[in-house]
């Protein structure tokens, strides 16, 4: 009797783990199954590197270069804005702030990291975009700059929270040794604390990258949506995620356009898989206790 | 020496400036949502359905829809997530299988939410024929939440000292008894905290439900798992991008955003408070 209960319990745990693995396999299968048929129509080179996204013309064009670059530009812009602000804030909170301020700042950042992205999107489309249009006297405020700015604001709490954790877990003895040798506060931060927390900081940046490139709602609402390589930061762009979200409603299941959107998802999946893999490799030594 | 001191002052001022700019951005963001959302909020806004093609009325169906989607997603995800973590921490053998499962979980955690949406559409909506429904949407959200729940549960179980399970095993308890009577109760507060945080995440997701569950407009509440539902995050998006009366839709969008914001912050704050309370109370 006791044996049966043991076995059942173990079997349930085993099946649950199997189910988890099956989920990932199903995701990969689902995306590839519906995306790969596109490549009977167009070579993967033409899909990735030509710039003619005209999915509803006849004959249709499925060159996704502008969409891929759109994702990269927006992500790059977001990181340029977010990195100095989030790392600077993390250093301040971990190294300079009084313990009282730190006690408040930590949970506030965690709460900010949990705000749904559609709320940031609303802020962008209803407030920031009209403002930016006015300030720079543009035709539209829905452009690369605005979406990078909002995406940047959105990833700040994520990068800040994780890199702050990494810095504050650096042992105090390292700081004290540095200060005792006559180093100033900033020298201690740059030459002792940051090198010791390097792994966590890189991990936080990669996580921010993954979050920014995979974000859909903000770019869908704010990036403007023109499938072009932007000539300036004030031109609209169309990242991969917003293309999928915006166009999926117009497709018929199984047609080429539908396949093409899944092919974009394959590209996204591969990019995030590799950024994850790098994180994994960077973090691995930590796990082998 | 003076140059070094000057440099030091410069950098410290820079860091302070970065924090002030960051805080400034976030304050403008929050204040904007609150100041434009608050005038719309009322008891009626919460308990009434939308009227006049979304230009009047409240958000009741969206609120209920989000609640149902989140609750169902948790019902699907929690048991399998917790049992996966139990397998990883107590049964996991051989080691390479554990490593592979860890890689799988971390890969899943990094997949963009729109891909979960596409997957849900391809598998649940089309292949299995669940249609655009509460069921398809909550299954999609459950898979999205799974890696978060597994990681949190695993950490929670690891934070229980090994002495506990060793003592229990030494007394002759089986592995199952040790897990369910010793390790699990000790890890429960942390498991709960993790679960609450994933509730907050799931409630705010838009992209995964766009093609699997959400509908722009429905006057009635869902009657079965096969029905489409309204949801708070999708409602905000739809109000801003569809419909023809922006002047009356934008305020409703702000009101909806404020409700969603309050909900998510309340959920997350509960988790943070439980966690800090438990840390203080913990005896080990």
């Amino acid at each position: 009797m006791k044996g049966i209960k043991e076995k059942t319990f173990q079997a349930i745990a085993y099946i649950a783990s199997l189910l988890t693995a099956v989920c990932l396999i199903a995701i990969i299968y689902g995306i590839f199954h519906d995306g790969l048929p596109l490549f009977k129509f167009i070579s993967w080179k033409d899909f990735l590197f030509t710039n003619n996204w005209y999915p509803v013309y006849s004959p249709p064009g499925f060159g996704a270069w502008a969409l891929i670059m759109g994702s990269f530009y927006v992500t790059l812009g977001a990181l340029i804005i977010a990195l100095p602000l989030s790392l600077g804030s993390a250093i301040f909170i971990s190294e300079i702030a009084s313990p009282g301020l730190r006690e408040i700042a930590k949970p506030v950042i965690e709460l900010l990291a949990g705000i749904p992205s559609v709320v940031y999107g609303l802020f962008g489309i209803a407030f920031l975009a009209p403002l930016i249009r006015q300030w720079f006297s543009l035709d539209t405020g829905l452009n690369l700059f605005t979406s990078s700015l909002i995406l940047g604001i959105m990833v700040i709490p994520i990068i800040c929270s994780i890199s702050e954790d990494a810095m504050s877990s650096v042992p105090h003895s390292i700081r004290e040794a540095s200060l005792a040798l006559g180093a100033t506060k900033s020298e201690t931060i740059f030459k002792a604390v940051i090198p010791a927390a390097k792994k966590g900081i890189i991990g936080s940046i990669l996580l921010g990258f993954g979050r920014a490139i995979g974000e859909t709602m903000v770019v869908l609402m704010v990036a403007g949506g023109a499938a072009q390589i932007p000539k300036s930061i004030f031109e609209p762009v169309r990242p991969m995620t917003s293309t999928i979200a915006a166009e999926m409603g117009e497709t018929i299941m199984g047609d080429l356009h539908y396949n093409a959107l899944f092919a974009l998802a394959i590209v996204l999946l591969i990019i995030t898989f590799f950024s994850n893999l790098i994180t994994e490799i960077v973090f691995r030594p930590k796990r082998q206790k | 020496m003076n140059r070094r001191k000057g440099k030091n002052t410069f950098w410290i001022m820079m860091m302070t400036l970065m924090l002030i700019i960051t805080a400034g951005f976030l304050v403008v963001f929050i204040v904007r949502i609150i100041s434009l959302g608050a005038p719309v909020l009322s008891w009626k806004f919460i308990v009434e359905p939308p009227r006049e093609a979304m230009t009047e009325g409240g958000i009741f169906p969206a609120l209920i829809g989000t609640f149902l989607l989140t609750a169902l997603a948790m019902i699907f995800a929690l048991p399998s997530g917790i049992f996966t973590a139990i397998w990883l921490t107590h049964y996991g053998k051989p080691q390479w299988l554990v490593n592979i499962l860890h890689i799988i979980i971390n890969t899943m955690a990094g997949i963009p939410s729109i891909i979960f949406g596409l997957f849900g559409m391809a598998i649940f909506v089309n292949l299995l024929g669940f249609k655009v429904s509460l069921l398809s949407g909550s299954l999609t959200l459950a898979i999205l939440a799974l890696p978060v729940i597994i990681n949190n549960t695993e950490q929670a179980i690891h934070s229980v000292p090994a002495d506990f399970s060793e003592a229990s095993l030494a007394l002759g308890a089986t592995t199952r008894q040790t897990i369910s009577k010793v390790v699990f109760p000790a890890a429960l507060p942390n498991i709960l905290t993790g679960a609450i945080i994933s509730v907050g995440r799931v409630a705010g997701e838009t992209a995964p439900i766009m093609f699997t569950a959400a509908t722009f407009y429905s006057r009635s509440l869902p009657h079965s798992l096969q029905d489409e539902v309204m949801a708070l995050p999708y409602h905000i998006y739809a109000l801003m991008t569809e419909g023809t009366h922006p002047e009356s839709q934008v305020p409703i969008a702000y009101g909806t955003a404020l409700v969603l914001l309050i909900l998510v912050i309340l959920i997350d704050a509960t988790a943070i408070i439980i966690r800090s309370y438990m840390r203080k109370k913990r005896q080990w």
Side-chain angles (χ1 to χ4, degrees):
Chain A
M1 188 60 212
K2 204 169 145 191
I4 293 170
K5 267 188 176 171
E6 285 310 307
K7 284 266 164 18
T8 320
F9 191 79
Q10 186 171 359
I12 292 172
Y14 191 69
I15 290 166
S17 309
L18 221 56
L19 197 68
T20 306
V22 167
C23 284
L24 181 70
I25 294 166
I27 291 171
I28 293 171
Y29 172 80
I31 301 296
F32 276 79
H33 179 263
D34 285 1
L36 288 180
L38 179 77
F39 299 108
K40 283 181 209 147
F41 176 78
I42 174 179
S43 76
W44 62 269
K45 263 188 198 152
D46 287 344
F47 173 69
L48 289 178
F49 299 117
T50 52
N51 178 14
N52 65 330
W53 185 259
Y54 303 112
V56 290
Y57 282 24
S58 81
F62 293 113
W65 177 243
L67 314 179
I68 297 168
M69 288 322 283
S71 282
F72 270 105
Y73 281 131
V74 171
T75 306
L76 186 70
L79 287 182
I80 289 173
I81 290 160
L83 282 188
L85 291 174
S86 55
L87 294 181
S89 306
I91 294 170
F92 186 92
I93 294 167
S94 161
E95 304 300 314
I96 301 168
S98 62
L101 182 59
R102 193 177 314 154
E103 285 292 302
I104 300 166
K106 275 298 289 180
V108 168
I109 292 171
E110 270 182 71
L111 286 179
L112 288 169
I115 294 178
S117 58
V118 70
V119 179
Y120 285 96
L122 171 68
F123 175 72
I125 195 172
F127 175 67
L128 212 53
L131 212 62
I132 281 172
R133 189 174 64 97
Q134 223 173 30
W135 280 352
F136 298 98
S137 40
L138 305 166
D139 296 333
T140 170
L142 303 176
N143 55 36
L144 174 57
F145 177 73
T146 315
S147 42
S148 290
L149 184 59
I150 299 189
L151 221 47
I153 297 175
M154 197 185 119
V155 296
I156 284 173
I158 297 162
I159 301 179
C160 182
S161 158
I162 297 173
S163 51
E164 199 275 339
D165 279 342
M167 283 185 247
S168 52
S169 63
V170 170
H172 267 287
S173 54
I174 289 183
R175 290 184 191 87
E176 282 153 12
S178 164
L179 291 170
L181 287 170
T184 62
K185 187 97 188 169
S186 72
E187 285 164 347
T188 304
I189 291 169
F190 286 115
K191 296 190 176 146
V193 178
I194 290 181
K198 198 171 57 195
K199 269 181 196 157
I201 295 172
I202 294 172
S204 76
I205 296 170
L206 281 166
L207 200 72
F209 168 84
R211 189 55 81 83
I213 203 160
E215 171 51 36
T216 309
M217 298 321 290
V218 168
V219 288
L220 181 58
M221 292 165 91
V222 185
Q228 56 170 5
I229 306 279
K231 289 181 201 68
S232 85
I233 55 168
F234 294 118
E235 284 193 6
V237 288
R238 189 180 188 95
M240 291 183 278
T241 48
S242 63
T243 308
I244 298 173
E247 293 178 9
M248 192 46 90
E250 308 162 4
T251 65
I252 304 155
M253 187 198 155
D255 73 354
L256 271 178
H257 190 188
Y258 175 92
N259 295 142
L261 297 180
F262 274 85
L264 284 179
I266 295 178
V267 177
L268 263 177
L269 201 58
I270 291 172
I271 293 172
T272 46
F273 177 75
F274 277 106
S275 103
N276 254 359
L277 200 67
I278 297 169
T279 321
E280 187 80 357
I281 291 165
V282 169
F283 275 111
R284 182 161 299 161
K286 209 174 143 193
R287 214 184 254 138
Q288 292 169 345
K289 288 170 212 164
Chain B
M1 192 58 212
N2 266 342
R3 253 192 68 215
R4 284 179 59 208
K5 266 197 178 146
K7 241 177 159 176
N8 184 41
T9 321
F10 168 78
W11 277 114
I12 290 190
M13 278 170 68
M14 279 302 283
M15 305 302 170
T16 316
L17 186 66
M18 292 298 153
L19 183 79
I20 291 170
I21 294 173
T22 304
F25 268 136
L26 293 166
V27 165
V28 169
F29 168 62
I30 300 282
V31 166
R32 181 79 190 172
I33 300 290
I34 293 176
S35 65
L36 285 180
V40 185
L41 283 199
S42 65
W43 182 241
K44 275 188 170 172
F45 187 69
I46 305 288
V47 298
E48 275 186 6
R51 279 181 285 117
E52 310 291 329
M54 312 298 263
T55 56
E56 280 175 43
I59 53 166
F60 188 62
L63 202 62
I64 295 296
T66 288
F67 172 76
L68 289 175
L69 281 169
T70 313
L72 279 171
M74 284 299 131
I75 290 173
F76 294 135
L78 271 182
S80 62
I82 288 173
F83 271 106
T84 303
I86 287 176
W87 187 81
L88 281 169
T89 49
H90 283 85
Y91 292 108
K93 252 176 222 156
Q95 186 60 34
W96 60 266
L97 214 57
V98 175
N99 293 342
I100 287 181
L101 197 54
H102 273 133
I103 291 173
I104 286 176
I105 292 160
N106 288 331
T107 307
M108 273 172 84
I111 292 177
S113 58
I114 182 83
I115 291 190
F116 285 96
L118 283 192
F119 153 76
M121 191 183 73
I123 302 292
F124 299 129
V125 177
N126 293 336
L127 189 71
L128 299 177
F130 296 163
K131 289 185 287 190
V132 176
S133 65
L134 186 54
L135 181 63
S136 299
S138 49
L139 283 172
T140 309
L141 288 172
I143 294 176
L144 178 121
L146 200 55
V148 185
I149 292 173
I150 296 172
N151 276 335
N152 283 328
T153 310
E154 214 190 334
Q155 270 175 26
I157 291 178
H158 274 308
S159 73
V160 177
D163 311 4
F164 281 36
S165 41
E166 279 158 17
S168 163
L169 291 169
L171 287 170
T174 63
T175 315
R176 177 186 62 85
Q177 287 166 333
T178 305
I179 295 166
S180 59
K181 303 243 165 77
V182 177
V183 177
F184 193 74
L188 192 60
N190 280 330
I191 294 176
L192 270 183
T193 314
I196 295 171
I197 286 172
S198 57
V199 167
R201 255 330 99 75
V202 165
E205 283 288 353
T206 320
I209 56 170
M210 282 177 103
F211 314 115
T212 57
T215 175
F216 179 29
Y217 182 73
S218 90
R219 281 225 49 174
S220 62
L221 298 175
H223 295 294
S224 76
L225 288 175
Q226 302 286 330
D227 284 348
E228 296 183 315
V229 286
M230 289 177 71
L232 289 175
Y234 187 73
H235 194 56
I236 299 170
Y237 166 70
L239 281 167
M240 294 310 294
T241 53
E242 289 174 41
T244 45
H245 301 282
E247 67 290 342
S248 49
Q249 284 177 217
V250 172
I252 300 181
Y254 271 109
T256 315
L258 183 56
V259 171
L260 183 62
L261 198 66
I262 291 171
L263 245 133
V264 169
I265 287 182
L266 276 183
I267 291 169
D268 286 352
T270 314
I272 291 174
I273 290 166
I274 293 181
R275 188 182 56 196
S276 67
Y277 176 72
M278 285 302 161
R279 269 189 197 154
K280 274 181 203 141
K281 225 186 115 186
R282 196 154 65 186
Q283 303 284 319
W284 63 83

